[in-house]
Amino acid sequence: MEKERLVRIFDRQAERYEKNKEPSSLRMWRRNLLSQAEGEVLELAVGAGANFPYYPSGVKVTAADFSEEMLAGARKKASAYNIEAEWICMDIEKMDFAAHSFDTIVSTLSFCCYENPLEMLKKIQHWCKPEGKILLLEHGISSNIMVSGAQRVLNPLLFKIIGCHHTRDFLKLVRDSGLNVQKSESHWLNMFHIIWASPRNQ
Ligand SMILES: C[S@@+](CC[C@H](N)C(=O)[O-])C[C@H]1O[C@@H](n2cnc3c(N)ncnc32)[C@H](O)[C@@H]1O
């Protein structure tokens, strides 16, 4: 799908993301993950700022997303939670930063959207300081055969409507990227993965 079309799909969903009516377990996972963020943070695909309530004080967030509508919501959240933030509106897959620019890189529910998620996992390791943190909360294909069957059938339709793939094997992508995983948890029939990691030795 063309990127312009994908941006429009997310622009249309911004109001729903701003209302943030997500299950309490997802909030808890965000809280557990984000409590480890520190220093200069890059948040990929920040959406409407669902993570901002959970950042420890003192972080400085560079927040990127290609949807202006999502970023408008995130700006409101940042000011409500006193988060110091800089904003980048562009396609993250085309972004570049100098090596070792960030203390922490955060992504929640964004690797389902990228054209080349493995490439992005490699790039963030380059942008993160060697002793820095990579904090991920992502979803993908379930290990349950019934659920994964339904995900495979529904995936083309879901991608068209909400812009996100449901059949990616996120743990395999992580393994293939060489990320140093310190801790990981999987939930909801292994559809959701929370990963505390650092860049591979470079
Ligand atoms: C499923 S939402 C998740 C938003 C947020 N991270 C959260 O946890 O609620 C995916 C977000 O990724 C953004 N996005 C998807 N592909 C992108 C890309 N290539 N460049 C920049 N932003 C992208 C969308 O605009 C949307 O805000």
Side-chain angles (χ1 to χ4, degrees):
M1 187 188 303
E2 293 155 24
K3 281 281 160 86
E4 292 73 24
R5 198 157 155 225
L6 209 49
V7 173
R8 285 198 298 277
I9 289 176
F10 284 109
D11 275 344
R12 281 200 295 272
Q13 297 178 82
E15 211 177 309
R16 181 169 64 78
Y17 274 82
E18 238 185 280
K19 288 185 183 142
N20 194 17
K21 295 219 163 68
E22 60 188 20
S24 57
S25 37
L26 201 46
R27 289 170 204 255
M28 188 182 70
W29 300 337
R30 289 186 194 274
R31 185 185 308 279
N32 290 344
L33 186 72
L34 274 297
S35 66
Q36 299 304 306
E38 58 184 7
E40 291 277 344
V41 176
L42 171 65
E43 183 169 340
L44 305 177
V46 68
N51 291 325
F52 286 164
Y54 310 112
Y55 276 116
S57 59
V59 295
K60 184 169 170 261
V61 181
T62 300
D65 204 291
F66 63 13
S67 157
E68 279 288 7
E69 298 294 323
M70 288 283 192
L71 285 174
R75 283 192 175 91
K76 288 186 222 158
K77 266 271 170 58
S79 107
Y81 288 91
N82 277 321
I83 304 286
E84 189 186 346
E86 272 177 25
W87 308 95
I88 301 176
C89 186
M90 77 174 277
D91 179 355
I92 284 163
E93 293 187 90
K94 299 214 170 90
M95 270 180 2
D96 202 10
F97 294 99
H100 312 160
S101 295
F102 298 98
D103 299 295
T104 309
I105 298 187
V106 170
S107 162
T108 59
L109 315 180
S110 87
F111 277 88
C112 51
C113 304
Y114 305 133
E115 254 169 44
N116 194 335
L118 181 57
E119 193 57 32
M120 277 307 301
L121 278 171
K122 289 181 180 164
K123 277 190 186 179
I124 60 175
Q125 296 182 70
H126 181 61
W127 300 338
C128 189
K129 291 182 183 167
E131 70 286 4
K133 298 174 183 181
I134 295 180
L135 305 176
L136 308 169
L137 161 55
E138 301 294 338
H139 71 92
I141 191 90
S142 171
S143 58
N144 177 288
I145 203 155
M146 303 280 278
V147 177
S148 63
Q151 286 176 301
R152 285 201 177 86
V153 171
L154 292 173
N155 192 53
L157 183 66
L158 288 172
F159 182 60
K160 243 181 167 167
I161 298 172
I162 60 172
C164 117
H165 292 280
H166 286 69
T167 51
R168 290 186 170 166
D169 183 343
F170 190 66
L171 294 183
K172 179 172 188 312
L173 285 167
V174 165
R175 281 194 302 276
D176 292 350
S177 75
L179 204 60
N180 272 329
V181 176
Q182 266 90 50
K183 184 177 148 193
S184 86
E185 287 176 8
S186 296
H187 299 278
W188 291 8
L189 302 173
N190 296 321
M191 269 190 293
F192 284 85
H193 308 286
I194 313 169
I195 292 174
W196 293 261
S198 58
R200 68 181 172 272
N201 301 326
Q202 295 174 27

